[in-house]
Amino acid sequence: KEHFSAPTIDTNEDGSFTIKVQKTGQLIHVAQDQTAVQALEAAGVSIPVSCEQGICGTCLVKVVEGEIDHRDMYLTEEEQAAQDQFTPCCSRAKSKMLVIDL
């Protein structure tokens, strides 16, 4: 058995944002106190998850539009700078909306 743990992140300044599913146009509100994965699942959009800490990359999703607040340990600095994918288990949006390719 292996156990991994990501560093604790201060979430007191987190704001809400919206995720738009590109293929369906569905808009999903992500509250300040929930992860994008939780909001997506509540809206009926299933994404595979494993560690839920941004370590494994299982939940990695392509981003078409928006600015990402990367909080994962999976993507390299170069991949994060590209702003074209994110880990919805822990990462958030800096912009008001993220458009994802699902």
Side-chain angles (χ1 to χ4, degrees):
K1 254 185 179 180
E2 291 182 286
H3 296 277
F4 300 97
S5 180
T8 304
I9 295 173
D10 181 10
T11 59
N12 290 327
E13 299 295 318
D14 286 352
S16 62
F17 62 98
T18 301
I19 292 177
K20 180 177 181 179
V21 180
Q22 184 180 34
K23 291 180 183 171
T24 65
Q26 183 178 11
L27 296 175
I28 301 164
H29 177 74
V30 182
Q32 177 182 8
D33 63 343
Q34 74 180 158
T35 67
V37 164
Q38 291 168 338
L40 288 162
E41 287 179 352
V45 179
S46 180
I47 293 184
V49 294
S50 184
C51 74
E52 297 190 56
Q53 297 180 44
I55 297 172
C56 71
T58 300
C59 65
L60 197 62
V61 173
K62 294 213 45 93
V63 174
V64 178
E65 185 179 319
E67 187 178 2
I68 305 160
D69 180 9
H70 288 284
R71 298 180 178 184
D72 64 274
M73 296 175 59
Y74 179 75
L75 296 171
T76 65
E77 287 182 17
E78 292 81 16
E79 290 170 328
Q80 288 180 354
Q83 292 284 305
D84 63 356
Q85 54 188 342
F86 90 125
T87 52
C89 68
C90 64
S91 295
R92 300 188 65 80
K94 289 182 181 177
S95 55
K96 292 288 183 189
M97 181 180 291
L98 286 181
V99 180
I100 60 173
D101 184 12
L102 279 184

